[in-house]
Amino acid sequence: MDVINDVKQILVSQLQLGDQLSAANEETPLLGAIPEFDSMAVVTVITALEEQFGFVVDDDEISAEVFESLGSLCEFVQAKA
Amino acid sequence: MDRLQISPHFLSTPAGHLYAVHYVPPSAISTKGYIVHIPAFAEEMNKSRHIISKQARLMAEQGWQVVVFDLSGTGDSEGLLVDVDWPTWLNNIQAVMDWLMTEPLPVVLWGLRLGACLAVDYLNRLPSPENTHLLLWQPIIKGQPFLQQFLRMRLAADLLDKQTGETVKLLREQLVKEGSLEVAGYLLPNQLTSAIDQIDLTQQLLPLTAQVVWLEMIRETGASLSLPSQKTIAAWQQNHNKLHQTNIVTDPFWSTQELTTGDGFIEQTLHYLPQLLIKSALKQSVVSMES
C-alpha cells in the first residue's frame, strides 16, 4: 500500500491544490502552512480517508499533531489501516 | 431556433409547496422518458446544484423531460428541515411523479448521494415498478457513518484544540434526548436522522425489472470502488438486475472546498441513458416471445 501517494491524492483532490504537493515529502508541513487547510478541511480530509481506507476515526484521535506534516498524517493512516 | 424550455414551478403537496424546475426537450424532439432528480443532503446539495442543472439541460436536449426539485424543508421548498421525516420526502417524490408523468414512458430516478438512498427506497415501494430505473451518482451505502461524518462538522472548529469536550457520541445522545440538533446551520430532527442511521443499501434488493446506472468517483485510474459499493453491486447483479457501472476519475464535486466541474459524471450519464431505453425494450420483446 502506497500510503503517502494515496494521502497526497486525497489532499490534492479535497482541497484542490493542483500540483502544489507534487514535490511534497514526509517533512512537508500541512496545518498552518497550506492556507486551504482549515478546520473544515480537516473534517473533509478525515471523511475522505475513512472512505478510502475503510477505517473509522474517533474524535479523540484527531489532534493538531496528526495534521502537522504529510509524514505525521501518513503515520496516523498507517496505524489505522 | 427551437430550444428546450426551462420553467420553475411550485407544486402543491400536503407538506407545502415544492420548488421544482421542469426541463422540457425542444418541440422537434418527442419525449423519450422522464427523469426525476433526487438531491443530495445539505451542503452536498448546494455544492452540486450547478452540475445538476447542467446535466438536466443536456438530458432535455436528448429528449428527456427532467424535474429537479428541492425536498420539503430544504432549498426553496416550503417547510422547515426540523419538521420533516423520511416518509415526507418519499411523498415529495410521489408528488413530483404525479405532476410530471402525462404519458406511460420510462422513468429514471436520478439520485445523488443521500438522494440515491431515497430513490432506492421509493422504487422498492412502487406497486408497479416496471419501467422505472435508477441513475445513481456516488450513492451513500450506509447511513450511520454518513451521519457520523455530518455530526463531526459541528466539531470541526473544536477538533484540533479540544475546548468544549464535545464528541460525536455526546452529540448523538443530545439529538435523541432533545429531538433535534443544530449542525453547520442545519437543525436536524431526530426522526430524520434515525431513518438515515438505518440506511444500508447492501441489504436492500431491487425489483427485478429495475436497471441501474451506477457512477462512482475514484481518485486515480485503476483504483477500485469502496468495499460497501462492491458488495451492493454484487448483490444486485446476483438478483439479476441489469447494472451499468463506471468509475470516474475526478474530484468529489459534492464535497470539495472549491467548486469542481464533475464533467466525467455528465459524460458517462449521457452515454448510458439511451442504453436504459434500448435494454428495457429488448427485455419486453423477449418476454412477449416467451409468452
Side-chain angles (χ1 to χ4, degrees), chain A residues 9 14 16 50 57 59 62, chain B residues 152 162 167-168 256 258:
Chain A
Q9 266 171 8
Q14 287 297 142
Q16 269 101 66
E50 283 180 329
V57 177
D59 301 343
I62 301 164
Chain B
R152 193 185 283 145
K162 304 213 164 35
T167 64
V168 171
T256 47
E258 304 294 329

Side-chain angles (χ1 to χ4, degrees), chain B residues 20 28 36 46 116 141 149 157-158 167 197 201 218 258 261 277 280:
Chain B
V36 176
N46 294 333
I141 311 293
Q149 288 160 358
D158 194 44
T167 64
D197 250 340
L201 286 197
I218 51 170
E258 304 294 329
T261 64
L277 289 174
S280 59

Side-chain angles (χ1 to χ4, degrees), chain B residues 11-272:
Chain B
L11 312 186
S12 179
T13 79
H17 288 96
L18 292 184
Y19 177 71
V21 181
H22 190 199
Y23 297 76
V24 181
S27 54
I29 304 175
S30 59
T31 298
K32 292 174 180 168
Y34 303 103
I35 297 176
V36 176
H37 176 67
I38 307 166
F41 189 60
E43 274 317 289
E44 294 190 347
M45 173 175 80
N46 294 333
K47 285 190 170 161
S48 50
R49 273 190 194 281
H50 64 298
I51 287 165
I52 299 305
S53 62
K54 183 178 177 188
Q55 175 74 85
R57 279 196 304 277
L58 293 169
M59 287 165 159
E61 279 170 10
Q62 287 199 346
W64 296 84
Q65 278 193 44
V66 188
V67 163
V68 176
F69 74 104
D70 292 345
L71 293 159
S72 285
T74 75
D76 291 316
S77 287
E78 277 189 339
L80 297 171
L81 185 63
V82 73
D83 295 327
V84 302
D85 56 16
W86 193 261
T88 304
W89 283 356
L90 293 174
N91 291 336
N92 287 169
I93 301 171
Q94 186 62 49
V96 171
M97 296 276 277
D98 290 343
W99 178 81
L100 174 66
M101 290 185 63
T102 52
E103 291 176 78
L105 295 171
V107 178
V108 178
L109 302 168
W110 166 28
L112 170 64
R113 304 286 288 142
L114 189 68
C117 308
L118 274 165
V120 168
D121 199 10
Y122 175 81
L123 176 63
N124 274 325
R125 290 164 195 259
L126 280 181
S128 33
E130 307 79 22
N131 243 358
T132 304
H133 305 295
L134 295 172
L135 167 61
L136 306 182
W137 279 16
Q138 198 77 19
I140 284 165
I141 311 293
K142 296 194 183 196
Q144 205 244 336
F146 173 71
L147 189 61
Q148 180 91 1
Q149 288 160 358
F150 194 82
L151 294 178
R152 193 185 283 145
M153 282 201 292
R154 172 158 154 163
L155 306 176
D158 194 44
L159 274 174
L160 298 174
D161 52 17
K162 304 213 164 35
Q163 292 290 315
T164 64
E166 275 192 330
T167 64
V168 171
K169 189 162 167 277
L170 289 175
L171 290 182
R172 278 181 166 277
E173 285 168 13
Q174 194 183 336
L175 182 54
V176 173
K177 201 170 137 202
E178 292 173 16
S180 64
L181 182 75
E182 200 254 295
V183 179
Y186 297 90
L187 191 54
L188 301 177
N190 184 44
Q191 73 258 20
L192 180 63
T193 53
S194 59
I196 292 174
D197 250 340
Q198 281 157 33
I199 290 169
D200 185 355
L201 286 197
T202 65
Q203 301 298 317
Q204 260 191 299
L205 294 180
L206 304 175
L208 296 180
T209 49
Q211 297 185 58
V212 184
V213 176
W214 180 307
L215 302 184
E216 190 160 334
M217 176 211 82
I218 51 170
R219 287 195 164 78
E220 65 177 339
T221 314
S224 52
L225 289 187
S226 73
L227 282 176
S229 292
Q230 290 181 29
K231 203 174 159 187
T232 311
I233 288 168
W236 290 358
Q237 282 173 330
Q238 272 172 15
N239 196 37
H240 302 295
N241 289 110
K242 194 95 197 161
L243 202 135
H244 315 267
Q245 204 275 319
T246 296
N247 302 343
I248 295 159
V249 182
T250 184
D251 291 337
F253 61 82
W254 54 91
S255 73
T256 47
Q257 298 290 95
E258 304 294 329
L259 287 183
T260 311
T261 64
D263 287 342
F265 278 83
I266 290 177
E267 281 160 25
Q268 291 301 317
T269 296
L270 295 176
H271 169 73
Y272 280 115

Side-chain angles (χ1 to χ4, degrees), chain A:
Chain A
M1 190 165 62
D2 186 3
V3 170
I4 190 159
N5 199 29
D6 282 353
V7 171
K8 254 198 223 181
Q9 266 171 8
I10 283 174
L11 292 173
V12 168
S13 151
Q14 287 297 142
L15 311 181
Q16 269 101 66
L17 297 178
D19 53 9
Q20 230 186 100
L21 287 185
S22 52
N25 59 32
E26 291 180 357
E27 272 80 57
T28 304
L30 299 177
L31 214 57
I34 298 174
E36 290 87 345
F37 216 136
D38 58 12
S39 55
M40 282 312 291
V42 166
V43 171
T44 60
V45 167
I46 293 170
T47 298
L49 290 170
E50 283 180 329
E51 282 172 4
Q52 178 77 27
F53 294 102
F55 54 63
V56 178
V57 177
D58 285 331
D59 301 343
D60 53 13
E61 294 176 293
I62 301 164
S63 66
E65 289 78 56
V66 169
F67 293 93
E68 203 176 323
S69 67
L70 188 56
S72 64
L73 185 55
C74 289
E75 266 174 43
F76 175 75
V77 170
Q78 263 158 338
K80 293 290 294 178

